[in-house]
Amino acid sequence: MIIEVETINSFSKSELLKEVYGLIWILPILTLLLGITIQVLVIVWLEREISASIQQRIGPEYAGPLGLLQAIADGTKLLLKEDILPSRGEIPLFSIGPSIAVISILLSFLVIPLGYRFVLADLSIGVFLWIAISSIAPIGLLMAGYSSNNKYSFSGGLRAAAQSISYEIPLTFCVLAISLRVIR
């Protein structure tokens, strides 16, 4: 009976260490996300200030000190806007299309190394998986344009998909040329 209690206690200690290690492993990812968020806020603020000085007008100055909270106010406004659905369109496709485009781009970040031996998903086919996943985004753009049952939205979706594909083809050739050179 005493041996069983000792076994259970040692098992719980090792589980606790695994949980602590799991939390410590997440800290670099959270730090990276926080750094990217702050960089985006600073870049948006600088872009607004520089644009205002070029156009000889006052930039954002009402949202927080020096307009530093303007990007947060814009993001909040975007999230709280009313979702308008087309009356004659395909509602499920209209909702799923942009999600497919965004999710495919976010999934492509899985194989990008964040540091030496620090990759979220360490796959031997990382570059090829990155190309395959990122090439799904034009399908979402086409779905979003087609589903509204409007010829102008469809032509806009076609244009966005064509633009995305025209950027992906040279990028894919460059990546494949480097991969083939490394393999040999």
Side-chain angles (χ1 to χ4, degrees), residues 57-144:
R57 61 176 175 82
I58 299 173
E61 60 181 18
Y62 299 111
L66 300 173
L68 292 174
L69 300 177
Q70 186 65 47
I72 295 173
D74 289 343
T76 305
K77 181 182 80 170
L78 180 66
L79 288 175
L80 297 177
K81 287 179 88 170
E82 181 182 2
D83 191 16
I84 299 174
L85 300 173
S87 61
R88 298 181 307 157
E90 296 287 331
I91 305 300
L93 288 179
F94 191 79
S95 300
I96 292 172
S99 301
I100 288 175
V102 170
I103 289 171
S104 69
I105 298 302
L106 292 177
L107 281 177
S108 67
F109 281 101
L110 284 176
V111 295
I112 296 176
L114 303 173
Y116 183 71
R117 296 186 183 263
F118 184 61
V119 182
L120 296 178
D122 191 13
L123 303 170
S124 60
I125 57 166
V127 172
F128 302 111
L129 181 69
W130 174 67
I131 292 170
I133 290 175
S134 63
S135 65
I136 296 173
I139 296 171
L141 297 171
L142 282 173
M143 284 174 61

